[in-house]
Amino acid sequence: MPAPLGGAGGVDQLEVVPWDLHGPHPRADEIEVVVPPYLDQQLQLSLLSNLPSLRLVQVLTAGYDHVVPHLPQGVRLANAVGVHDASTA
């Protein structure tokens, strides 16, 4: 298990746990934030509905239409509009 990253990014009690979203996570009931892997065509976004504590999904792309159908009610979605502008230009 990864060690907790207390205070990482100004968030106390944060634990970063890698997950490729290719299958269920063994600690699904604890996950509050998901950052799906970048440009992975094998993602099983339907797994988001199995996360009872989920509060936020942060995608690493400007586009997010592929996530919306899988987003549980009340869960916030953040995209990365503008993040790749400098590297693309």
Side-chain angles (χ1 to χ4, degrees), residues 27-88:
R27 294 170 56 189
D29 58 327
E30 300 175 48
I31 296 174
E32 295 182 26
V33 177
V34 171
V35 181
Y38 185 58
L39 300 178
D40 184 341
Q41 300 298 317
Q42 303 298 319
L43 295 179
Q44 295 179 26
L45 294 172
S46 61
L47 294 170
L48 296 174
S49 65
N50 298 329
L51 306 175
S53 299
L54 186 62
R55 299 182 337 170
L56 171 69
V57 175
Q58 169 71 62
V59 294
L60 300 175
T61 58
Y64 56 85
D65 292 342
H66 63 293
V67 179
V68 173
H70 305 285
L71 205 63
Q73 186 173 359
V75 174
R76 293 179 181 247
L77 175 62
N79 69 345
V81 68
V83 169
H84 304 287
D85 290 354
S87 62
T88 303

Side-chain angles (χ1 to χ4, degrees), residues 6-28:
V11 180
D12 292 331
Q13 304 303 316
L14 175 68
E15 181 182 1
V16 177
V17 180
W19 181 29
D20 62 10
L21 271 162
H22 291 190
H25 194 282
R27 294 170 56 189

